[in-house]
Amino acid sequence: MIGIIVGLLASCQTEPEPIAFGKDQCHYCKMSIADPKFGAELITDKGRIYKYDATECVVNQLAEESTRYQMLLAVAHNNPKQLYPMDSLVFVISPEFRSPMGANLAAFYRPTTQDLPSNTQLLSWNEVRLLLKNRK
């Protein structure tokens, strides 16, 4: 019986789906997802996959709707096209990273000093959410 329950719970998990750059459309702003250094994905509790052209679109979506999700992912600027869980990334806001929606927000997975501008403040996912929410 326990095996059946565990199997049913595991079957509810949806795996991330690669973003088809140049073909997929942002769920929030409806722009084409074109830049392989930016992008994000939200997998709802029900297994629906929403794709975004920029991390700031995910922030805006979550600020406007109480979307229940099982997974949040973003593309790492230093590893284009690859999605990583939001909590495993660090974020930078700098004019050197011209993100599609203009927040100049880039995500990095294990950045090196060569990846980042000098005097850059690294932000966590929660800090990014608070910072962008307060800008509105």
Side-chain angles (χ1 to χ4, degrees), residues 32-81:
S32 175
I33 305 173
D35 192 333
K37 291 184 177 181
F38 300 94
E41 191 166 291
L42 180 150
I43 302 175
T44 69
D45 277 355
K46 295 182 179 179
R48 289 191 184 127
I49 296 176
Y50 299 141
K51 298 177 183 181
Y52 302 88
D53 65 336
T55 303
E56 51 263 44
C57 284
V58 176
V59 172
N60 292 335
Q61 172 95 38
L62 293 174
E64 293 174 10
E65 296 177 17
S66 59
T67 305
R68 296 176 53 132
Y69 58 87
Q70 58 179 275
M71 197 177 302
L72 280 176
L73 307 122
V75 171
H77 194 273
N78 58 342
N79 198 359
K81 298 184 178 179

Side-chain angles (χ1 to χ4, degrees), residues 13 26 35 40 52 81 93-94 97-98 119 126:
Q13 295 288 322
C26 178
D35 192 333
Y52 302 88
K81 298 184 178 179
I93 296 177
S94 168
F97 305 111
R98 302 181 70 179
N119 299 322
N126 287 330

Side-chain angles (χ1 to χ4, degrees), residues 59 90-91 93 105 121-134:
V59 172
V90 293
F91 298 86
I93 296 177
L105 173 65
Q121 180 183 1
L122 299 179
L123 303 167
S124 70
W125 168 239
N126 287 330
E127 290 170 324
V128 166
R129 288 181 73 172
L130 285 173
L131 186 65
L132 294 181
K133 181 180 174 184
N134 291 333

